[in-house]
Amino acid sequence: MSQPTKYWAVVPAAGVGKRMNANCPKQYLPLAGQTVIEQTLHNLLRADVFTAVSVAISVEDPYWPELPVARHQQVITAPGGKERADSVLSALKALQAQASDDDWVLVHDAARPCLMPSDIHLLINTLANDPVGGILALSSHDTLKNVQEGSIVATLDRSHVWRALTPQMFRYGMLKSALEANEGNPAVTDEASALELQGWQPKIVEGRPENIKITRPEDLALAAFYLQQLNLEQSV
Ligand code: C5P
């Protein structure tokens, strides 16, 4: 009898977030009564689909062990790497003994605390029978320019341009081998790009615009507002 498909979450959380100008990595900044990473992990855990969540943490990080969620029974800690892709690969390797090549992995940035469980379910349900997998993404409302040295050299056809969000959902075996084949390649800025470099064409699934990445100080106030709105929406 075949086993039901398993879903794993991988959370790269080993960045320093220089653009925040804060005295700790951005994932530990306070947001709506918790830290950013606690909000992110609670959103993943309450989706109620993951066998475990593998979190990549810098080996010099003194903040993570202080958080109760670090000891949650579904949370596994893996050592972070130099680049985001290295951290993702490390978190995948931490699942090696338990995960099968055909299991699905959803990779989600620690710095995206406003992910709605409904977007996780949308991604999973839309891609359930897809041979490759795909990502949450947003269409562009603005006209987009190709700029070189401060001058516009072209206007892009925005109907073909999407903004990549996370989670990004791929089969465990395919994702791990794509990241291993492209180790050290600076073109790998997300999981989809590693798959694309292997010749695959991942799908896009339109996500919610509230799923922002905390990058600059002003993003925290916006994220707090979105969380309040999303919680209100869930309570009705
Ligand atoms: O820096 P940026 O916002 O693009 O990082 C996206 C995510 O990747 C963050 O959650 C960050 O903690 C993580 N990251 C990582 N290891 C690195 C660099 C970034 O886990 N070496």
Side-chain angles (χ1 to χ4, degrees):
M1 208 169 66
S2 68
Q3 299 287 320
T5 309
K6 281 188 179 159
Y7 293 88
W8 306 90
V10 156
V11 177
V16 283
K18 275 197 213 108
R19 282 168 292 188
M20 286 302 286
N21 296 322
N23 55 8
C24 69
K26 59 185 176 182
Q27 56 272 26
Y28 299 111
L29 291 171
L31 173 63
Q34 298 178 10
T35 58
V36 169
I37 192 170
E38 287 175 293
Q39 296 282 5
T40 303
L41 293 174
H42 289 148
N43 283 336
L44 290 169
L45 291 165
R46 73 194 166 112
D48 212 17
V49 286
F50 298 112
T51 306
V53 182
S54 182
V55 188
I57 298 288
S58 163
V59 285
E60 287 148 22
D61 181 336
Y63 305 97
W64 174 247
E66 301 298 319
L67 300 180
V69 75
R71 290 177 291 285
H72 189 288
Q73 59 175 10
Q74 275 163 277
V75 171
I76 294 167
T77 305
K82 189 163 164 276
E83 304 295 337
R84 182 184 179 285
D86 304 316
S87 296
V88 171
L89 187 54
S90 167
L92 285 173
K93 285 180 179 165
L95 298 173
Q96 204 152 354
Q98 303 172 65
S100 305
D101 280 358
D102 287 343
D103 289 351
W104 287 110
V105 179
L106 277 74
V107 181
H108 182 61
D109 289 331
R112 292 186 189 269
C114 304
L115 172 67
M116 289 289 277
S118 59
D119 258 5
I120 299 174
H121 295 134
L122 177 71
L123 188 65
I124 286 176
N125 293 336
T126 308
L127 300 176
N129 298 315
D130 195 276
V132 182
I135 71 172
L136 284 182
L138 281 178
S139 57
S140 179
H141 297 162
D142 299 317
T143 296
L144 296 163
K145 304 294 187 187
N146 189 343
V147 175
Q148 284 171 25
E149 293 168 19
S151 300
I152 297 168
V153 294
T155 298
L156 304 177
D157 178 352
R158 69 180 177 193
S159 65
H160 293 303
V161 181
W162 288 68
R163 290 162 49 201
L165 310 176
T166 70
Q168 304 206 349
M169 169 170 151
F170 297 103
R171 302 272 183 193
Y172 180 85
M174 211 189 257
L175 176 58
K176 186 163 164 286
S177 56
L179 289 171
E180 281 171 341
N182 291 290
E183 267 191 273
N185 183 345
V188 178
T189 51
D190 66 353
E191 291 60 57
S193 51
L195 274 286
E196 291 158 45
L197 286 164
Q198 300 304 98
W200 300 103
Q201 295 189 333
K203 299 283 185 312
I204 52 127
V205 175
E206 186 153 21
R208 294 182 61 134
E210 294 91 343
N211 185 9
I212 58 169
K213 184 167 72 170
I214 305 288
T215 307
R216 286 182 296 223
E218 58 270 29
D219 296 332
L220 276 174
L222 188 58
F225 172 75
Y226 282 153
L227 281 176
Q228 191 187 27
Q229 297 299 309
L230 296 170
N231 288 335
L232 281 177
E233 201 178 294
Q234 285 203 316
S235 62
V236 288

